[in-house]
Amino acid sequence: MKIRTFIATTSMATLVASGGLVALAGSAQAALYTVCVGEGGAVTVSGDLVIPAGKSCTLTGTKVKGNVTVEAGADLVAAGATFNGAVEVASNAYLDLTDTTVKGALTAKSAFGAHLEDSTVKGAVLTQQGFVYAVDSALGSSVKAEAGELYVSGSTVSGALTGEKTQYTDVYDTTVKGALTVSDSTLGGVLCESEVQGNTVYKNNADTLQLGGTGLLGTCLGATYLGGDLTVTGNTANAVLDNTIVRGNLTATGNTPTLKVGDLARVRGTTTNTAASASKFSIAGQPRTTKTAARDNAAKLTAKADKRTAEARADARAAGKSKLN
């Protein structure tokens, strides 16, 4: 009862300003967490960490033994940090991790976005809005984006990678140890200089699909290796397959227009594609329309992430040092 009385009579403003330890009591037992507003350093947080709604927190070398929650509209920018639990990013909240390890899952629910660079997420990554921009990172048991923008470059995914109803799903110079599935994307996507060890499926996507090669969406000089089957079906996208080795079968059905297969594509198994032989062509010299003009999604995401990160750092600096331990 004393804990409940304390919470009922202490203002949230006082708790946030102190960045201290807060106790909440449920019906069974009390739960402890630490609030971060402002700048935090190389300390260890023994329990959970919360960034309150609309506030900003920057962490450098911080270790959190529990879970991390970034509440609605809040920002968390971390460098050289370790989070032993899960990370949850709420509506319009933002997460920026550099050289940071998350040992649990990363879940973003209607978030503004998540930017990961030189970082590791050992659990599953699930996003339901906003963007995921992962560069030179090791991603966990699965990565799934159910909306928004998904861009993965120079990374490793230890399980399946799925883009479902995204604006686009772009994969560059990345190893996917499970399956790759891209479906119902409004702007299609790119698969470039990458390796997929499981099956690869592109279905019901619109606009443009560039699977290897240099062409409709940009330049992809290195080869792509698909260890399983490749299925391209039900797409209205202008779809091209080139400079890719498919170790399994290629099944391309129900696509309008028909999948174009370039001179550098190699399929080790069987090929099913309407007028497949007639679709052989050279990518070089293919005209670009406004619809299929090269898109630099990385530059756009970098600008978006940099702007939000700079704002978060400024807000955290203005708030001062956060007392985490």
Side-chain angles (χ1 to χ4, degrees):
M1 293 304 294
K2 288 184 178 179
I3 292 179
R4 287 180 178 153
T5 302
F6 171 78
I7 292 301
T9 58
T10 303
S11 70
M12 187 61 187
T14 301
L15 296 174
V16 169
S18 66
L21 190 64
V22 180
L24 294 180
S27 58
Q29 61 181 5
L32 300 179
Y33 64 83
T34 298
V35 170
C36 178
V37 177
E39 300 176 320
V43 299
T44 297
V45 177
S46 59
D48 295 342
L49 181 68
V50 174
I51 294 83
K55 302 297 181 179
S56 295
C57 169
T58 60
L59 301 175
T60 303
T62 308
K63 182 176 182 179
V64 180
K65 292 186 176 181
N67 299 321
V68 176
T69 301
V70 187
E71 294 187 338
D75 301 305
L76 172 59
V77 178
T82 300
F83 304 145
N84 285 349
V87 176
E88 184 169 314
V89 188
S91 176
N92 196 37
Y94 174 62
L95 178 70
D96 187 290
L97 303 181
T98 302
D99 191 27
T100 291
T101 297
V102 178
K103 295 184 180 180
L106 168 58
T107 304
K109 299 179 178 179
S110 301
F112 175 81
H115 177 214
L116 315 176
E117 189 160 352
D118 294 313
S119 293
T120 298
V121 180
K122 295 186 177 181
V125 178
L126 172 63
T127 63
Q128 297 172 319
Q129 196 170 307
F131 66 84
V132 174
Y133 182 23
V135 181
D136 298 334
S137 294
L139 306 177
S141 56
S142 65
V143 175
K144 184 176 184 180
E146 295 181 346
E149 302 159 275
L150 177 58
Y151 191 105
V152 183
S153 175
S155 298
T156 299
V157 179
S158 63
L161 175 61
T162 303
E164 182 178 288
K165 297 181 179 179
T166 59
Q167 291 182 44
Y168 58 82
T169 297
D170 289 354
V171 182
Y172 287 86
D173 187 26
T174 289
T175 297
V176 180
K177 295 184 179 181
L180 170 63
T181 303
V182 180
S183 63
D184 300 289
S185 172
T186 56
L187 295 178
V190 176
L191 179 61
C192 173
E193 297 182 341
S194 295
E195 178 182 356
V196 181
Q197 296 178 4
N199 294 327
T200 302
V201 176
Y202 284 84
K203 62 180 180 180
N204 302 332
N205 299 289
D207 201 283
T208 310
L209 292 174
Q210 181 179 325
L211 311 183
T214 297
L216 300 174
L217 293 181
T219 300
C220 184
L221 298 178
T224 291
Y225 299 90
L226 305 182
D229 297 332
L230 171 61
T231 301
V232 184
T233 182
N235 300 285
T236 58
N238 190 357
V240 172
L241 172 68
D242 197 36
N243 200 12
T244 297
I245 296 175
V246 182
R247 300 191 186 279
N249 302 321
L250 168 62
T251 302
T253 58
N255 300 298
T256 306
T258 303
L259 173 70
K260 296 180 176 65
V261 182
D263 296 331
L264 298 180
R266 298 289 183 269
V267 180
R268 303 305 188 200
T270 61
T271 297
T272 302
N273 187 20
T274 304
S277 59
S279 296
K280 284 281 187 181
F281 76 117
S282 175
I283 300 289
Q286 289 296 308
R288 287 177 176 168
T289 66
T290 301
K291 183 179 180 182
T292 58
R295 298 193 297 258
D296 193 347
N297 291 329
K300 292 178 181 178
L301 285 178
T302 297
K304 188 183 297 187
D306 285 351
K307 182 175 184 296
R308 185 73 178 245
T309 298
E311 292 171 351
R313 289 188 183 280
D315 290 345
R317 192 178 305 114
K321 299 296 182 182
S322 185
K323 299 176 182 178
L324 296 180
N325 53 350

